[in-house]
Amino acid sequence: MRKKVIAGNWKMNMLPNEAIKFIEELIPLVKNTEHEVILCVPYTDLFYALLTAQNTNIKIGAQNMHFEESGAFTGEVSGEMLKSINVEYVIIGHSERRQYYNETDETVNKKIKAAFKNELKPIVCVGETLEQREAGKTEEIITKQTELALEGLTDEQVANTIIAYEPIWAIGTGKTATKEDANNSIKAIRNKIEQIYGQKVSSRVIIQYGGSVKSTNAKELFEMSDIDGGLVGGASLKVDEFSKIVNF
Ligand code: PGA
């Protein structure tokens, strides 16, 4: 049985003092959950978040990284740097990075490899635009993104990759995919992984849904057969709301 993994994506929000307060309040609210709880926070919060969450069941992740180890890449942060302060997870290929920062399937693939090299667990985002959806291309787009993201990884690495299926039209819009739609898209992703890496691997991969997840829709989404939890943006900024999603 795969476990449910609930990850918050704070995006460019929360100052260190707010992050500390949030995590201190979250600790008692999620301490008895059997679900995995991850908070992906801005770089400037990482150190404080890691200290505050130490010895609890809350894991900390970053929201991006560079694929090179070091060098002349002004403004970038490497996997080795994240690992050096004990970060465990890193979001890779979020649609906002693909849209605003020229992230491509190729850089996503390089970043995933660099993440594993540094013992970071990648949360890899895939998803279609509204236009692609309306043209009936959802499955084609998301399975291709998945295939390219995972290219060249070992079976064990693929099994340890978390994929977040996030339809772009559902991110931050209040529109959610229906639970059936989300489940079908995730099944298509899992089938593609099975075709390439076999059933033993595909049955282990955690595939989340993301896009306007809130406490009022988390349960129906996360109880679907193939949806292994969620990547939560806006609703991860309020501690009560996020804890309800974790404890759906
Ligand atoms: P949202 O964002 O929950 O605010 O729609 C999800 C995401 O971008 O990961």
Side-chain angles (χ1 to χ4, degrees):
M1 255 302 263
R2 294 184 299 271
K3 59 174 161 180
K4 304 285 179 186
V5 180
I6 319 297
N9 172 13
W10 282 356
K11 308 193 179 184
M12 198 171 71
N13 295 290
M14 302 284 249
L15 299 174
N17 60 329
E18 296 169 322
I20 293 167
K21 184 165 177 277
F22 182 103
I23 295 168
E24 281 173 350
E25 286 174 13
L26 184 66
I27 290 169
L29 300 177
V30 301
K31 73 171 197 292
N32 294 321
T33 183
E34 71 227 28
H35 308 140
E36 189 150 325
V37 188
I38 307 168
L39 286 173
C40 296
V41 309
Y43 291 132
T44 44
D45 289 343
L46 280 172
F47 192 70
Y48 302 97
L50 284 157
L51 279 183
T52 314
Q54 213 169 28
N55 302 320
T56 74
N57 58 336
I58 301 168
K59 311 275 171 63
I60 302 298
Q63 300 171 9
N64 179 38
M65 59 174 271
H66 199 277
F67 49 81
E68 293 288 352
E69 250 351 53
S70 62
F73 301 100
T74 302
E76 291 293 328
V77 170
S78 72
E80 190 179 24
M81 290 169 176
L82 296 178
K83 187 64 198 173
S84 72
I85 58 167
N86 296 323
V87 171
E88 278 186 68
Y89 292 85
V90 57
I91 297 175
I92 291 177
H94 189 278
S95 61
E96 286 151 17
R97 300 230 43 106
R98 293 184 193 249
Q99 190 180 348
Y100 306 132
Y101 303 98
N102 300 321
E103 192 82 80
T104 63
D105 290 324
E106 194 190 340
T107 58
V108 166
N109 178 253
K110 285 185 179 173
K111 288 182 180 189
I112 298 169
K113 287 175 179 158
F116 277 119
K117 197 169 164 205
N118 289 290
E119 292 162 38
L120 297 162
K121 293 181 201 149
I123 302 174
V124 181
C125 303
V126 299
E128 82 287 359
T129 62
L130 187 58
E131 216 183 5
Q132 290 163 337
R133 184 178 194 82
E134 284 171 348
K137 292 202 166 126
T138 299
E139 208 173 291
E140 184 191 323
I141 296 289
I142 61 179
T143 55
K144 194 74 199 162
Q145 285 175 335
T146 303
E147 184 178 352
L148 294 173
L150 302 178
E151 204 169 75
L153 298 187
T154 65
D155 286 3
E156 198 52 28
Q157 288 172 334
V158 172
N160 285 302
T161 301
I162 297 177
I163 295 177
Y165 165 60
E166 300 204 305
I168 294 169
W169 49 270
I171 295 177
T173 57
K175 289 187 203 146
T176 320
T178 64
K179 57 185 188 203
E180 292 83 11
D181 260 5
N183 200 52
N184 284 338
S185 293
I186 288 177
K187 269 191 187 155
I189 292 169
R190 201 179 301 286
N191 286 341
K192 174 56 86 179
I193 297 172
E194 181 175 342
Q195 268 173 34
I196 306 174
Y197 299 94
Q199 198 267 339
K200 259 199 184 143
V201 173
S202 69
S203 66
R204 285 172 60 197
V205 181
I206 299 287
I207 310 181
Q208 302 172 313
Y209 168 79
S212 299
V213 173
K214 16 183 198 293
S215 60
T216 47
N217 60 22
K219 187 175 163 68
E220 59 170 53
L221 285 161
F222 300 168
E223 279 179 355
M224 296 300 283
S225 63
D226 275 68
I227 305 183
D228 305 323
L231 183 57
V232 185
S236 74
L237 294 169
K238 293 189 200 102
V239 74
D240 277 350
E241 178 70 3
F242 186 63
S243 69
K244 281 185 197 154
I245 295 172
V246 169
N247 297 311
F248 68 90

